[in-house]
Amino acid sequence: MTEIVTLPGVKHTFAVGLSWRHEDAVPKPKQLRALSLDEGRWGLIRKSNSDAIQVGFCDPIIGKNPGKLRSLAAVVADHHPQPWMGLYKLADDRYWYIAVRDGHAIIPGGDQVGTFEEMAKVRESHLQYGQWHEVEGTVEDLVEMALLTPRMVALRDMQVSPYRSSAILGLSVFGVGLVGLLALSGYQHYAERRALEEQEKNGSKYQRVQAPPPKPWTQEPMPSAVFIACHQAWSIQPLAASGWTLGTWDCQATKNAVTVTATWDRDGGIAADAPGSLAADGNSATSTKQYIVAFDPPAVAALDEPTGRRAIWSLAQASALDLQIGSAAPTASNLPGAAATQTPVVPWTSVPAKFKFAAPPWATLGSAFDSVDGLRVSAVSWSASTPLWVTTATLYSMRAMPTAALSDQKTKEQGAKT
């Protein structure tokens, strides 16, 4: 049964208790109308962060406009690493249950609301599907995730095509232009095909030039931004809970989030109170939580290899840090007599690095890591047994290339742009 949920401080109103279907591709309006006759007239199409496509359905709610509603499950599903199941207390003896796995998809029956006993039975029935990260929370946790979600898809009436009126208007106003555009597109396709046939006929005299891959350090957040995000996650991390103590803590950064994985050791507690997933021995557990972060665009500068290595060692020595740094992978070369490879060598290298701290890195260094162009931080971790803080990083540097190879690389890049 679908119910309405409001979250304090969040402007949208949410629906819980939708039924969910997986689809290989976004369904056509005709297919949606047919499905809605059996599944429910209202619904939405959802695409997860892992590119899973789902359609959620529910019956109309009297007195409500579907365009004013958002699906709470669609908002929350991507906020924890899969597979995960969550049980959230909405009010006295009113709980909402969500279960997510396989591409961050909401499983059938994985969006329900009811009493604690009812939801506990549903959760128990889903344990047979494999290992899960179990999460329990309150309305405050839902508010936090909702506020971190920049875009929420509204529900709509699936039996009314959202494109009907705009399509009619578009055809009446732009019909002639559309015909011309299709004709031009068809001609371009024909011309491209003819050009490829000519190339094959002439022994592939000309070769298709591939655009160079993006520079990885321009796709990863700056070190100081990772430190700030992990610091915020650490500031709300409990060190003990119900007889379980924190053993290790790891904060992994990606392009738009940090994922915190914590291990717990039993210290007088019982298995029922273990945070997250209980290990087979019953004396340890693992919990995970993901925080969506809107990182600022990173800097694009990088140093050449010798200068970059000198800079990272200077950073470690000036701050009295223990640094372990690897070596760049060697450039592949062709065997004598073998045909030259058509895959261009990327003009940069990457080497792994690890720094060890006696204190959290954000407490002592701040933005010092940003001073090394091309240095990116991927994780910050802590262990109670050491206890040391370890920062895992990668140093990206521009590869030293022969003049001829460099000229050839520039020519290929220019060709890819044209």
PDB file of all heavy atoms in Angstrom, residues 1 22 28 35 62 73 81 85 103 114 121 124 139 164 180 218 222 277 308 342 388-389 416:
ATOM      1  N   MET A   1       0.843  -1.193   0.000  1.00  0.00           N
ATOM      2  CA  MET A   1       0.000   0.000   0.000  1.00  0.00           C
ATOM      3  C   MET A   1       0.880   1.245   0.000  1.00  0.00           C
ATOM      4  O   MET A   1       1.875   1.315   0.724  1.00  0.00           O
ATOM      5  CB  MET A   1      -0.923   0.009   1.215  1.00  0.00           C
ATOM      6  CG  MET A   1      -1.819   1.249   1.289  1.00  0.00           C
ATOM      7  SD  MET A   1      -2.857   1.242   2.757  1.00  0.00           S
ATOM      8  CE  MET A   1      -3.910  -0.156   2.405  1.00  0.00           C
ATOM      9  N   HIS A  22      12.241  -4.005 -13.206  1.00  0.00           N
ATOM     10  CA  HIS A  22      13.472  -3.743 -13.950  1.00  0.00           C
ATOM     11  C   HIS A  22      13.160  -3.744 -15.443  1.00  0.00           C
ATOM     12  O   HIS A  22      12.368  -4.563 -15.920  1.00  0.00           O
ATOM     13  CB  HIS A  22      14.530  -4.799 -13.654  1.00  0.00           C
ATOM     14  CG  HIS A  22      15.723  -4.718 -14.569  1.00  0.00           C
ATOM     15  ND1 HIS A  22      16.710  -3.774 -14.418  1.00  0.00           N
ATOM     16  CD2 HIS A  22      16.052  -5.458 -15.671  1.00  0.00           C
ATOM     17  CE1 HIS A  22      17.612  -3.933 -15.370  1.00  0.00           C
ATOM     18  NE2 HIS A  22      17.233  -4.952 -16.146  1.00  0.00           N
ATOM     19  N   LYS A  28       8.586   2.577 -23.852  1.00  0.00           N
ATOM     20  CA  LYS A  28       7.852   3.523 -24.668  1.00  0.00           C
ATOM     21  C   LYS A  28       6.548   3.899 -23.960  1.00  0.00           C
ATOM     22  O   LYS A  28       6.034   3.131 -23.132  1.00  0.00           O
ATOM     23  CB  LYS A  28       7.538   2.917 -26.037  1.00  0.00           C
ATOM     24  CG  LYS A  28       8.766   2.467 -26.817  1.00  0.00           C
ATOM     25  CD  LYS A  28       9.629   3.647 -27.218  1.00  0.00           C
ATOM     26  CE  LYS A  28      10.797   3.179 -28.096  1.00  0.00           C
ATOM     27  NZ  LYS A  28      11.687   4.297 -28.468  1.00  0.00           N
ATOM     28  N   LEU A  35       1.292  -1.312 -19.003  1.00  0.00           N
ATOM     29  CA  LEU A  35       1.711  -1.801 -17.696  1.00  0.00           C
ATOM     30  C   LEU A  35       0.916  -1.158 -16.575  1.00  0.00           C
ATOM     31  O   LEU A  35       0.601  -1.803 -15.562  1.00  0.00           O
ATOM     32  CB  LEU A  35       3.203  -1.512 -17.493  1.00  0.00           C
ATOM     33  CG  LEU A  35       4.191  -2.336 -18.323  1.00  0.00           C
ATOM     34  CD1 LEU A  35       5.604  -1.787 -18.167  1.00  0.00           C
ATOM     35  CD2 LEU A  35       4.148  -3.798 -17.897  1.00  0.00           C
ATOM     36  N   ILE A  62      -6.035   9.715  -3.523  1.00  0.00           N
ATOM     37  CA  ILE A  62      -7.110  10.710  -3.553  1.00  0.00           C
ATOM     38  C   ILE A  62      -6.638  12.017  -2.919  1.00  0.00           C
ATOM     39  O   ILE A  62      -6.046  12.031  -1.843  1.00  0.00           O
ATOM     40  CB  ILE A  62      -8.352  10.175  -2.807  1.00  0.00           C
ATOM     41  CG1 ILE A  62      -8.891   8.928  -3.529  1.00  0.00           C
ATOM     42  CG2 ILE A  62      -9.443  11.239  -2.725  1.00  0.00           C
ATOM     43  CD1 ILE A  62     -10.053   8.266  -2.814  1.00  0.00           C
ATOM     44  N   ALA A  73      12.018   5.971  -2.194  1.00  0.00           N
ATOM     45  CA  ALA A  73      12.950   4.888  -2.512  1.00  0.00           C
ATOM     46  C   ALA A  73      13.907   5.308  -3.624  1.00  0.00           C
ATOM     47  O   ALA A  73      15.104   5.015  -3.576  1.00  0.00           O
ATOM     48  CB  ALA A  73      12.184   3.632  -2.923  1.00  0.00           C
ATOM     49  N   PRO A  81      26.320   1.799  -0.491  1.00  0.00           N
ATOM     50  CA  PRO A  81      26.859   0.786  -1.405  1.00  0.00           C
ATOM     51  C   PRO A  81      25.955  -0.449  -1.441  1.00  0.00           C
ATOM     52  O   PRO A  81      25.455  -0.882  -0.404  1.00  0.00           O
ATOM     53  CB  PRO A  81      28.235   0.461  -0.794  1.00  0.00           C
ATOM     54  CG  PRO A  81      28.571   1.628   0.073  1.00  0.00           C
ATOM     55  CD  PRO A  81      27.266   2.128   0.598  1.00  0.00           C
ATOM     56  N   MET A  85      20.006  -3.157   2.667  1.00  0.00           N
ATOM     57  CA  MET A  85      18.602  -3.084   3.066  1.00  0.00           C
ATOM     58  C   MET A  85      18.500  -2.150   4.264  1.00  0.00           C
ATOM     59  O   MET A  85      19.364  -2.148   5.152  1.00  0.00           O
ATOM     60  CB  MET A  85      18.049  -4.475   3.401  1.00  0.00           C
ATOM     61  CG  MET A  85      18.846  -5.252   4.440  1.00  0.00           C
ATOM     62  SD  MET A  85      18.013  -6.767   5.001  1.00  0.00           S
ATOM     63  CE  MET A  85      17.819  -7.670   3.487  1.00  0.00           C
ATOM     64  N   GLY A 103      23.073  -3.365  -9.326  1.00  0.00           N
ATOM     65  CA  GLY A 103      22.965  -2.116 -10.067  1.00  0.00           C
ATOM     66  C   GLY A 103      22.208  -1.043  -9.327  1.00  0.00           C
ATOM     67  O   GLY A 103      21.644  -0.146  -9.946  1.00  0.00           O
ATOM     68  N   GLY A 114       4.991  -0.262   7.059  1.00  0.00           N
ATOM     69  CA  GLY A 114       4.114  -0.993   7.963  1.00  0.00           C
ATOM     70  C   GLY A 114       4.655  -0.969   9.379  1.00  0.00           C
ATOM     71  O   GLY A 114       5.502  -0.134   9.728  1.00  0.00           O
ATOM     72  N   LYS A 121       9.582  -9.094   9.095  1.00  0.00           N
ATOM     73  CA  LYS A 121       9.305 -10.326   8.368  1.00  0.00           C
ATOM     74  C   LYS A 121       9.716 -10.195   6.896  1.00  0.00           C
ATOM     75  O   LYS A 121      10.275 -11.126   6.309  1.00  0.00           O
ATOM     76  CB  LYS A 121       7.823 -10.683   8.481  1.00  0.00           C
ATOM     77  CG  LYS A 121       7.397 -11.146   9.867  1.00  0.00           C
ATOM     78  CD  LYS A 121       5.911 -11.485   9.889  1.00  0.00           C
ATOM     79  CE  LYS A 121       5.473 -11.936  11.277  1.00  0.00           C
ATOM     80  NZ  LYS A 121       4.017 -12.235  11.322  1.00  0.00           N
ATOM     81  N   GLU A 124      13.466 -10.332   6.725  1.00  0.00           N
ATOM     82  CA  GLU A 124      13.919 -11.712   6.938  1.00  0.00           C
ATOM     83  C   GLU A 124      13.759 -12.548   5.669  1.00  0.00           C
ATOM     84  O   GLU A 124      14.622 -13.360   5.324  1.00  0.00           O
ATOM     85  CB  GLU A 124      13.132 -12.338   8.085  1.00  0.00           C
ATOM     86  CG  GLU A 124      13.586 -13.740   8.478  1.00  0.00           C
ATOM     87  CD  GLU A 124      14.943 -13.753   9.157  1.00  0.00           C
ATOM     88  OE1 GLU A 124      15.339 -12.708   9.716  1.00  0.00           O
ATOM     89  OE2 GLU A 124      15.605 -14.814   9.139  1.00  0.00           O
ATOM     90  N   VAL A 139      13.897   9.311  10.757  1.00  0.00           N
ATOM     91  CA  VAL A 139      13.513  10.363   9.821  1.00  0.00           C
ATOM     92  C   VAL A 139      14.677  11.311   9.564  1.00  0.00           C
ATOM     93  O   VAL A 139      14.865  11.799   8.440  1.00  0.00           O
ATOM     94  CB  VAL A 139      12.290  11.127  10.364  1.00  0.00           C
ATOM     95  CG1 VAL A 139      12.019  12.381   9.537  1.00  0.00           C
ATOM     96  CG2 VAL A 139      11.058  10.227  10.363  1.00  0.00           C
ATOM     97  N   ARG A 164       2.665  14.189 -25.626  1.00  0.00           N
ATOM     98  CA  ARG A 164       1.634  14.323 -26.643  1.00  0.00           C
ATOM     99  C   ARG A 164       1.446  15.762 -27.095  1.00  0.00           C
ATOM    100  O   ARG A 164       1.533  16.085 -28.267  1.00  0.00           O
ATOM    101  CB  ARG A 164       0.313  13.746 -26.103  1.00  0.00           C
ATOM    102  CG  ARG A 164      -0.805  13.758 -27.122  1.00  0.00           C
ATOM    103  CD  ARG A 164      -2.060  13.141 -26.536  1.00  0.00           C
ATOM    104  NE  ARG A 164      -1.810  11.777 -26.095  1.00  0.00           N
ATOM    105  CZ  ARG A 164      -2.637  11.111 -25.307  1.00  0.00           C
ATOM    106  NH1 ARG A 164      -3.743  11.671 -24.861  1.00  0.00           N
ATOM    107  NH2 ARG A 164      -2.357   9.865 -24.961  1.00  0.00           N
ATOM    108  N   GLY A 180      13.883  18.902 -43.254  1.00  0.00           N
ATOM    109  CA  GLY A 180      15.195  19.285 -43.746  1.00  0.00           C
ATOM    110  C   GLY A 180      16.310  18.681 -42.933  1.00  0.00           C
ATOM    111  O   GLY A 180      17.328  18.241 -43.462  1.00  0.00           O
ATOM    112  N   THR A 218      42.078  15.226 -13.954  1.00  0.00           N
ATOM    113  CA  THR A 218      41.058  16.258 -14.163  1.00  0.00           C
ATOM    114  C   THR A 218      39.655  15.733 -13.885  1.00  0.00           C
ATOM    115  O   THR A 218      38.685  16.493 -13.971  1.00  0.00           O
ATOM    116  CB  THR A 218      41.120  16.800 -15.602  1.00  0.00           C
ATOM    117  OG1 THR A 218      40.750  15.754 -16.520  1.00  0.00           O
ATOM    118  CG2 THR A 218      42.527  17.284 -15.936  1.00  0.00           C
ATOM    119  N   MET A 222      40.219  17.372  -5.771  1.00  0.00           N
ATOM    120  CA  MET A 222      41.478  17.826  -5.196  1.00  0.00           C
ATOM    121  C   MET A 222      41.703  17.172  -3.834  1.00  0.00           C
ATOM    122  O   MET A 222      40.747  16.849  -3.123  1.00  0.00           O
ATOM    123  CB  MET A 222      41.482  19.342  -5.049  1.00  0.00           C
ATOM    124  CG  MET A 222      41.407  20.095  -6.366  1.00  0.00           C
ATOM    125  SD  MET A 222      42.871  19.832  -7.396  1.00  0.00           S
ATOM    126  CE  MET A 222      44.103  20.773  -6.482  1.00  0.00           C
ATOM    127  N   SER A 277      26.936  -5.590   8.960  1.00  0.00           N
ATOM    128  CA  SER A 277      26.874  -7.027   8.701  1.00  0.00           C
ATOM    129  C   SER A 277      27.765  -7.785   9.677  1.00  0.00           C
ATOM    130  O   SER A 277      28.942  -7.454   9.835  1.00  0.00           O
ATOM    131  CB  SER A 277      27.315  -7.328   7.260  1.00  0.00           C
ATOM    132  OG  SER A 277      26.483  -6.672   6.332  1.00  0.00           O
ATOM    133  N   GLY A 308      57.699  16.134 -10.645  1.00  0.00           N
ATOM    134  CA  GLY A 308      56.625  15.629  -9.808  1.00  0.00           C
ATOM    135  C   GLY A 308      57.140  14.767  -8.665  1.00  0.00           C
ATOM    136  O   GLY A 308      56.695  14.892  -7.525  1.00  0.00           O
ATOM    137  N   GLN A 342      48.769   0.902 -33.337  1.00  0.00           N
ATOM    138  CA  GLN A 342      47.980   2.067 -33.691  1.00  0.00           C
ATOM    139  C   GLN A 342      47.405   2.755 -32.454  1.00  0.00           C
ATOM    140  O   GLN A 342      46.711   3.748 -32.572  1.00  0.00           O
ATOM    141  CB  GLN A 342      46.827   1.637 -34.621  1.00  0.00           C
ATOM    142  CG  GLN A 342      47.305   1.024 -35.930  1.00  0.00           C
ATOM    143  CD  GLN A 342      48.153   1.989 -36.733  1.00  0.00           C
ATOM    144  OE1 GLN A 342      47.864   3.174 -36.810  1.00  0.00           O
ATOM    145  NE2 GLN A 342      49.234   1.487 -37.320  1.00  0.00           N
ATOM    146  N   LEU A 388      47.620   4.528  13.343  1.00  0.00           N
ATOM    147  CA  LEU A 388      48.161   5.487  12.388  1.00  0.00           C
ATOM    148  C   LEU A 388      47.081   5.844  11.361  1.00  0.00           C
ATOM    149  O   LEU A 388      46.143   5.081  11.131  1.00  0.00           O
ATOM    150  CB  LEU A 388      49.386   4.915  11.655  1.00  0.00           C
ATOM    151  CG  LEU A 388      50.693   4.785  12.431  1.00  0.00           C
ATOM    152  CD1 LEU A 388      51.724   4.080  11.558  1.00  0.00           C
ATOM    153  CD2 LEU A 388      51.207   6.146  12.875  1.00  0.00           C
ATOM    154  N   TRP A 389      47.252   6.989  10.771  1.00  0.00           N
ATOM    155  CA  TRP A 389      46.413   7.411   9.656  1.00  0.00           C
ATOM    156  C   TRP A 389      47.199   7.214   8.360  1.00  0.00           C
ATOM    157  O   TRP A 389      48.355   7.613   8.270  1.00  0.00           O
ATOM    158  CB  TRP A 389      46.013   8.877   9.808  1.00  0.00           C
ATOM    159  CG  TRP A 389      45.074   9.111  10.955  1.00  0.00           C
ATOM    160  CD1 TRP A 389      45.405   9.269  12.255  1.00  0.00           C
ATOM    161  CD2 TRP A 389      43.647   9.193  10.881  1.00  0.00           C
ATOM    162  NE1 TRP A 389      44.275   9.447  13.019  1.00  0.00           N
ATOM    163  CE2 TRP A 389      43.183   9.404  12.200  1.00  0.00           C
ATOM    164  CE3 TRP A 389      42.730   9.113   9.838  1.00  0.00           C
ATOM    165  CZ2 TRP A 389      41.831   9.543  12.487  1.00  0.00           C
ATOM    166  CZ3 TRP A 389      41.382   9.256  10.130  1.00  0.00           C
ATOM    167  CH2 TRP A 389      40.943   9.461  11.437  1.00  0.00           C
ATOM    168  N   ALA A 416      41.811  14.564 -34.068  1.00  0.00           N
ATOM    169  CA  ALA A 416      40.629  14.115 -33.355  1.00  0.00           C
ATOM    170  C   ALA A 416      39.647  15.237 -33.141  1.00  0.00           C
ATOM    171  O   ALA A 416      38.439  15.019 -33.042  1.00  0.00           O
ATOM    172  CB  ALA A 416      41.045  13.517 -32.015  1.00  0.00           C
TER     173      ALA A 416
END
